[in-house]
Amino acid sequence: MQTSVQSSVQSKSKETFLREIMKNRYLYLLTLPGVLFLIVFNYLPMVGLYLSFVDYNPMAGLYGMGSEFVGLDNFEFFFSSGDWVGITFNTLYLNSLFILTGLAVQIFMAVGLNEVAGNKFKKLTQSFMFLPNFLSWTVVSIFSIAIFSTDTGVINGILNALGMESINFYQDASTWPFILVLLKLWKGVGFGTVIYLATISSMDQEMFEAAKIDGASRFQSIIYLTLPMLKTTTIMLLILSVGGIFYGDFGMIFALIGDNPLLRPTTDVIDTYVYRALRMNNDIGMSSAVGLFQAFVGFVLVVSVNAITRKMSKDSALF
Amino acid sequence: MNHKSLGDRTMLFVFYAAIGLFSLMCVIPMWIALMASFTNELELIRNGYSLWIGNFDLTAYRLIFTGTGSVYRAYGVTIITTILGVILTVFLTSSFAYPLSVKSLKYRNKLAFFCYVTMVFNGGLVPTYILTTRFLHLQNSIWVLIIPAALNGFNVFLMKNYFSTLPEALAESAKIDGASEIYIYFKIILPLSMPILATIGLFAAIGYWNEWFRVLLFINDQQLFTLQFLIMRLQQQAEFLNSSLSAAARAALGGEMVPTIGIRVATAMVSIGPIILLYPFLQKYFIKGLTIGAVKG
């Protein structure tokens, strides 16, 4: 008796599910390719994170999933090796520099572009700033050699002309945080500026008029009106970037300096380390453990930063 | 009325100077590289990169276009992956995003969540690598450069936002006239959505054009190198350059040295040519796309 009630409840929910699917079958059919794509390329790799807990053996079952379970051994190996301190520090340090300098320069440029009067000037400079965004890091690395190389680079050319000694940028690790910040700004500022500029131009213009009539200088209206109103956008973009703070920019670092061991002390980030562990040492277990560590911390960061933001100002929270 | 205080005039001056200087800095490296690509190699080594052509010389470009097949080949691969990739991206993204914008669809929020989760959490490099090579067997296949990049949460988000702005009455009245959802999607929704399709298409085009990471991971076959990967190989491995030059080209150079720097710079210039040509469109649609995201997000 009971089972028949249970099964009728079950079949009822199944029925509504099926009815909904049948009713909108064409719409669900349209989502099907996308759903399959997400399962294969996004969700299956998540299942693959299980590999962090095994001693990987490619012959053991589908996908190596039958490998021997070793618990946290892979994590222990990574954390006891001592490498993790340096690469975690570099990842966090470089990303913090990128985020903070990017934020400051983007807001400065957006506010400035909004203030300058000449339309031609504005258009031209904005086009120039936006262009590097479309170039890949490999092309940027060609430019970077033109600027920073020891014998032929522009900077050392200038230094020599001034009677100063050359700087061996490509052998001197201490200069790289600065160079990376510079190149990151070079490539990314135009993109961020567009978002801030759009936010500024969507602001209520009457308020600025009123401030002007009340005798506020333009400087004052920037400090007391524009900047405070940029808060929501700024915080939103900040949350997004904090979520990625544990992910090093592999594309940038690998393209710019390749596998140059001299520069590793300041430029080796989690992602370049994982790549090396995977491709050079073929250490599947350890490198996927590092990947999981990274994904987990990144996820916790997004969720907690979002929660804090939600407490402070609800509008700025992402979800 | 137009009288500005000293403070404001100083501020404006600072803005003009900073913006002007920064935007110049954005294009100068490109200019320097362009000049270097037309400069004689010996001159380049002796005097370094500069703002003007030292000793006009087209050897680097001549070698690229006649001395080695690898640049042509890479151009072909890059063009094919870009075209197929853009088509696939636009199709997958729009067909997934449109149902998410139909309010009568019961499970649309569940589907959206299913998609957006992938923006904050992913399996990372190693599982992806094993999946692609051991499970899907896509290594050394051109499809590995095309398929895995075709759908992402951010594009779905932008597109869904755009579809939501279209009036619902359009689809409703077509439905009353007996049109199927598929018909509505292809014949009514898509033609009205050209701006967002163009934006996402261009986002994707830039991504595919600049792809090299997947080549690094999954491709050993030189026949399938993309332009950007070729540039990286040229930059990081001098011997790769020498091995890719044909015997005839080396003979034609005579006793002269192979212009290593010149070829790198010239290849970079050749690879960004189409981007520069398309730049006015790119700028327009990218700004449009970003603004949709900024206003809605």
Side-chain angles (χ1 to χ4, degrees):
Chain A
M1 198 58 190
Q2 222 176 0
T3 45
S4 82
V5 171
Q6 241 175 20
S7 74
S8 89
V9 169
Q10 242 174 21
S11 72
K12 200 171 180 191
S13 77
K14 215 179 205 171
E15 211 171 88
T16 49
F17 174 77
L18 280 179
R19 193 176 299 151
E20 162 70 13
I21 297 289
M22 277 317 286
K23 195 179 97 196
N24 290 309
R25 56 186 175 282
Y26 292 121
L27 284 175
Y28 286 112
L29 195 67
L30 272 179
T31 66
L32 195 61
V35 170
L36 288 178
F37 181 98
L38 290 171
I39 289 174
V40 173
F41 291 105
N42 294 90
Y43 284 89
L44 276 184
M46 288 187 206
V47 178
L49 283 171
Y50 172 70
L51 295 177
S52 328
F53 304 102
V54 302
D55 182 13
Y56 183 74
N57 171 11
M59 309 317 258
L62 182 67
Y63 207 178
M65 282 305 207
S67 305
E68 192 197 345
F69 185 80
V70 292
L72 296 176
D73 279 9
N74 291 319
F75 293 89
E76 210 182 308
F77 181 64
F78 172 61
F79 285 112
S80 63
S81 75
D83 290 340
W84 77 281
V85 182
I87 59 171
T88 308
F89 174 79
N90 284 342
T91 311
L92 289 175
Y93 179 64
L94 289 175
N95 279 334
S96 311
L97 286 180
F98 294 158
I99 293 171
L100 294 176
T101 54
L103 202 74
V105 178
Q106 284 162 14
I107 292 180
F108 178 87
M109 290 295 163
V111 170
L113 277 170
N114 190 53
E115 291 295 317
V116 299
N119 223 346
K120 256 190 191 155
F121 178 82
K122 199 170 158 177
K123 254 193 177 145
L124 190 71
T125 51
Q126 221 191 340
S127 298
F128 280 8
M129 271 186 221
F130 205 37
L131 185 58
N133 174 53
F134 296 99
L135 308 181
S136 87
W137 282 115
T138 55
V139 170
V140 178
S141 83
I142 300 282
F143 296 166
S144 145
I145 289 173
I147 308 289
F148 296 111
S149 88
T150 308
D151 303 322
T152 50
V154 173
I155 290 188
N156 280 318
I158 295 172
L159 286 180
N160 292 340
L162 294 174
M164 287 190 267
E165 265 186 47
S166 296
I167 304 172
N168 279 331
F169 291 107
Y170 281 88
Q171 287 163 31
D172 183 355
S174 69
T175 57
W176 277 84
F178 178 72
I179 294 177
L180 291 177
V181 165
L182 217 61
L183 292 174
K184 190 80 167 184
L185 285 176
W186 184 80
K187 195 168 182 298
V189 160
F191 191 84
T193 304
V194 168
I195 298 177
Y196 285 111
L197 197 57
T199 316
I200 294 176
S201 32
S202 71
M203 286 173 186
D204 185 5
Q205 295 304 311
E206 274 175 36
M207 209 158 30
F208 291 98
E209 289 299 320
K212 201 170 162 189
I213 291 165
D214 287 346
S217 71
R218 286 172 79 166
F219 182 69
Q220 282 169 324
S221 65
I222 289 175
I223 298 290
Y224 297 111
L225 290 175
T226 316
L227 290 183
M229 284 197 292
L230 277 177
K231 206 178 87 185
T232 316
T233 309
T234 311
I235 293 177
M236 210 183 71
L237 292 177
L238 204 62
I239 302 175
L240 280 175
S241 41
V242 166
I245 202 167
F246 238 65
Y247 293 91
D249 192 339
F250 179 87
M252 172 189 203
I253 290 171
F254 193 81
L256 286 173
I257 56 193
D259 205 30
N260 183 344
L262 287 175
L263 303 182
R264 252 180 234 163
T266 59
T267 61
D268 200 17
V269 291
I270 300 176
D271 300 75
T272 47
Y273 182 85
V274 170
Y275 173 79
R276 263 205 322 279
L278 175 69
R279 291 307 295 269
M280 319 262 162
N281 312 331
N282 215 0
D283 192 340
I284 302 271
M286 202 262 282
S287 47
S288 55
V290 183
L292 181 58
F293 162 63
Q294 201 178 20
F296 178 72
V297 178
F299 186 70
V300 170
L301 274 174
V302 180
V303 173
S304 44
V305 172
N306 189 64
I308 295 168
T309 321
R310 186 186 283 273
K311 271 212 174 119
M312 288 184 340
S313 88
K314 217 165 176 202
D315 293 342
S316 316
L318 205 58
F319 44 84
Chain B
M1 207 42 197
N2 270 329
H3 185 77
K4 286 176 192 135
S5 71
L6 183 67
D8 275 358
R9 265 183 289 168
T10 318
M11 181 189 75
L12 262 186
F13 174 77
V14 171
F15 277 144
Y16 270 106
I19 292 170
L21 211 65
F22 184 79
S23 60
L24 261 185
M25 300 278 267
C26 282
V27 286
I28 280 181
M30 219 170 307
W31 177 259
I32 289 175
L34 182 69
M35 292 301 109
S37 70
F38 290 113
T39 299
N40 177 272
E41 182 83 3
L42 273 177
E43 167 104 8
L44 204 57
I45 289 172
R46 207 177 305 129
N47 298 339
Y49 291 87
S50 70
L51 280 172
W52 200 243
I53 299 170
N55 195 345
F56 187 77
D57 189 341
L58 282 175
T59 314
Y61 285 101
R62 225 179 48 228
L63 282 176
I64 284 182
F65 287 114
T66 59
T68 157
S70 53
V71 171
Y72 274 123
R73 182 80 203 178
Y75 232 109
V77 172
T78 309
I79 289 172
I80 290 171
T81 52
T82 303
I83 291 174
L84 291 180
V86 166
I87 293 171
L88 191 65
T89 302
V90 169
F91 169 73
L92 265 181
T93 312
S94 63
S95 66
F96 187 69
Y98 170 63
L100 301 186
S101 75
V102 179
K103 293 211 173 58
S104 62
L105 201 69
K106 195 174 162 196
Y107 297 118
R108 69 189 189 112
N109 287 330
K110 290 207 170 74
L111 283 168
F113 182 75
F114 181 73
C115 173
Y116 296 157
V117 165
T118 63
M119 285 162 80
V120 279
F121 198 77
N122 65 68
L125 178 67
V126 181
T128 307
Y129 180 77
I130 292 174
L131 173 84
T132 312
T133 54
R134 301 250 158 84
F135 196 55
L136 302 171
H137 295 288
L138 280 174
Q139 69 271 41
N140 280 325
S141 148
I142 196 165
W143 296 106
V144 79
L145 304 177
I146 297 170
I147 299 173
L151 187 70
N152 70 59
F154 183 67
N155 287 349
V156 170
F157 174 75
L158 288 183
M159 213 165 294
K160 188 204 132 207
N161 279 346
Y162 186 90
F163 289 140
S164 304
T165 63
L166 298 176
E168 268 174 83
L170 275 172
E172 290 301 323
S173 62
K175 227 176 183 174
I176 292 167
D177 291 344
S180 78
E181 295 283 1
I182 302 278
Y183 181 90
I184 293 171
Y185 165 68
F186 278 109
K187 296 284 174 173
I188 297 173
I189 301 296
L190 286 188
L192 283 172
S193 308
M194 281 307 157
I196 192 71
L197 298 182
T199 301
I200 301 294
L202 284 171
F203 276 3
I206 287 293
Y208 282 107
W209 189 266
N210 285 339
E211 180 62 62
W212 58 270
F213 181 51
R214 279 177 226 280
V215 185
L216 179 71
L217 279 183
F218 299 119
I219 307 267
N220 298 316
D221 182 359
Q222 288 200 15
Q223 302 284 309
L224 290 176
F225 284 178
T226 61
L227 265 177
Q228 302 301 329
F229 188 73
L230 193 71
I231 291 171
M232 207 180 67
R233 286 297 284 272
L234 289 175
Q235 191 230 307
Q236 295 183 351
Q237 297 175 325
E239 67 271 27
F240 175 72
L241 176 66
N242 282 317
S243 71
S244 71
L245 278 185
S246 67
R250 244 170 294 158
L253 270 175
E256 274 188 62
M257 62 188 304
V258 179
T260 322
I261 305 176
I263 288 189
R264 280 176 200 157
V265 191
T267 311
M269 287 300 125
V270 167
S271 89
I272 63 178
I275 294 180
I276 305 286
L277 284 180
L278 282 177
Y279 187 53
F281 296 100
L282 287 173
Q283 198 187 3
K284 187 176 141 205
Y285 283 110
F286 263 69
I287 289 178
K288 200 175 260 173
L290 285 176
T291 320
I292 295 173
V295 173
K296 281 278 178 177

